[in-house]
Amino acid sequence: MTTATEPVAHSATAPVLTGHAGEAVAALGSRVRFRDLYDEVGSTVYHDLAGRDTHEVRELLGRLRTLTGPVLELAAGTGRLTMPMLSLGREVTALELSASMLAVLRERLEAAPPALRQRCVLLQGDMSAFALDRRFGAVVLGTTSVSLLDAAGRVGLYRAVRAHLAPGGRFLLSTVDAADTAADTAGAADATEVALHYTAASGRGYRMFEQWSPGAQTRTVVVLPEPLPDSGPVDVCTTEIGVLSPDLLTEELVAAGFTVPVRHALPDAGVRHRDVLLETGVAP
Ligand SMILES: C[S@@+](CC[C@H](N)C(=O)[O-])C[C@H]1O[C@@H](n2cnc3c(N)ncnc32)[C@H](O)[C@@H]1O
C-alpha cells in the first residue's frame, strides 16, 4: 500500500430539513452539531452503517472479471468496494477526497494480509480533476457517487477518466434509476421522506432519513444516533446528493466521447430506489 496525501477540506453546512428529520433536529435545539457524512465524525458513522454493505459488489466484480489490467476506483470511501476488488486479485488505485474516509480505509488495509495490501495505492484527490501517470483497464465509480458532482464537476470527471483508460478499458459507474424510484414511491403515504432504524455492526443504533421529492434535483440523507443521549451535543450527519438519471448520464457520456453505456440492473438498494450500473468505454 502506498499513499499520497494533501489536505482537502470538507464542509458541514446546516441543511434545510423538513418532515420528521426536521422535527427531530428542531427538538434537539442548540444541542445539534451538524457534520458532513464524510468528515472526521461522519466517516466513522458512514463506515459503521454502510462500510460493509454488499450492494452492487457482485455485479461489479462480475463485470471486472471480464476485464484485464489495474483498476482505478474513484470516491473509494472507506473501502466498501475496494476490499472485494482486492480480494478478486486486482491491483487497485483508490482515490478519495476525504482524509477521514481514507484514514479508515488505510486502517482496514493495515489489518489485511500483505499480499492484498501491497496491491493497493491510496490517493487523496478530487475525482473531477486528477492526473495520474498510468492508465487502467477499468475505472470504477460506485454507490451512485457520480451524483456528488455538479455539471461542471462531471465534465472534469469524464475528461479525467478518458485520459486514464487503457485501450479497450471500461468506465463502470452506478446511478439511481429515477424512473423506477418514482414508480415505487407513487403510492407511499409520504413520498418525500423515508425513515429507517439501523443497528450497525458496532452495536450502535442510528435513525436515518432520506428526503427526496420525486422529480427534485437533489436528495438529502440525515443520520442521528438512536437512542439520543440524555444530554450534551448530538452529532447530526448529513449529505446532499444529486439525482442523475441514467438517460442524463448517457447523454453526457456520449457528448464527452464515450460509447453509449450498457445498463446492468442492480438489486434493490433497500432504501427506496433502484440503482443501475452503467458500463462504457472511449468511443472509436
Ligand atoms: C457514498 S460514499 C461512497 C464510498 C464508497 N465507494 C462506498 O461504496 O462506500 C461517497 C464518497 O465520495 C467521496 N467524495 C465526494 N466528493 C468527491 C470528489 N470530488 N472526489 C473524490 N471523492 C469524493 C466522499 O468523501 C465519500 O467518501
Side-chain angles (χ1 to χ4, degrees):
M1 168 181 56
T2 53
T3 311
T5 52
E6 50 187 78
V8 179
H10 254 250
S11 63
T13 47
V16 178
L17 297 175
T18 55
H20 295 105
E23 284 166 21
V25 167
L28 288 168
S30 62
R31 294 177 64 200
V32 171
R33 277 193 310 207
F34 282 111
R35 299 285 193 175
D36 184 287
L37 188 56
Y38 310 125
D39 74 9
E40 68 277 14
V41 171
S43 55
T44 311
V45 171
Y46 178 90
H47 186 61
D48 202 14
L49 271 173
R52 289 180 174 80
D53 181 352
T54 58
H55 178 57
E56 72 185 88
V57 170
R58 194 167 58 87
E59 295 74 15
L60 179 61
L61 297 189
R63 297 317 304 154
L64 286 180
R65 281 194 183 94
T66 70
L67 304 170
T68 54
V71 176
L72 171 62
E73 185 192 3
L74 304 175
T78 62
R80 189 181 78 83
L81 304 174
T82 324
M83 302 305 280
M85 291 192 288
L86 289 166
S87 297
L88 194 65
R90 309 308 287 267
E91 258 184 67
V92 180
T93 296
L95 183 137
E96 162 62 45
L97 184 66
S98 159
S100 307
M101 297 291 275
L102 266 185
V104 177
L105 175 51
R106 190 173 300 116
E107 264 175 40
R108 294 186 75 184
L109 286 167
E110 276 160 9
L116 189 142
R117 180 166 69 232
Q118 284 156 8
R119 278 186 278 102
C120 192
V121 176
L122 299 186
L123 295 174
Q124 188 177 16
D126 185 340
M127 62 178 153
S128 64
F130 60 89
L132 312 176
D133 56 3
R134 66 185 301 195
R135 289 177 181 254
F136 299 85
V139 177
V140 169
L141 176 54
T143 327
T144 76
S145 298
V146 64
S147 52
L148 292 166
L149 296 177
D150 61 15
R154 296 197 298 280
V155 169
L157 166 77
Y158 303 143
R159 188 184 304 124
V161 170
R162 275 195 61 165
H164 290 83
L165 275 180
R170 290 284 177 274
F171 181 26
L172 296 158
L173 69 163
S174 61
T175 196
V176 170
D177 195 336
D180 274 355
T181 306
D184 282 354
T185 55
D190 179 356
T192 64
E193 184 177 57
V194 170
L196 297 161
H197 302 267
Y198 283 109
T199 302
S202 64
R204 282 191 288 270
Y206 298 96
R207 198 168 165 206
M208 182 175 117
F209 299 91
E210 186 179 294
Q211 299 196 327
W212 179 27
S213 305
Q217 298 299 301
T218 58
R219 57 194 156 108
T220 304
V221 172
V222 184
V223 184
L224 294 98
E226 185 172 70
L228 292 167
D230 292 335
S231 61
V234 177
D235 291 315
V236 176
C237 299
T238 72
T239 186
E240 190 172 276
I241 313 162
V243 179
L244 303 175
S245 70
D247 287 349
L248 174 70
L249 290 180
T250 296
E251 206 177 290
E252 292 183 353
L253 285 161
V254 170
F258 289 89
T259 55
V260 175
V262 174
R263 299 181 188 195
H264 305 283
L266 291 169
D268 200 327
V271 184
R272 69 173 194 185
H273 49 77
R274 257 174 242 142
D275 298 340
V276 63
L277 183 67
L278 304 181
E279 177 174 350
T280 183
V282 175

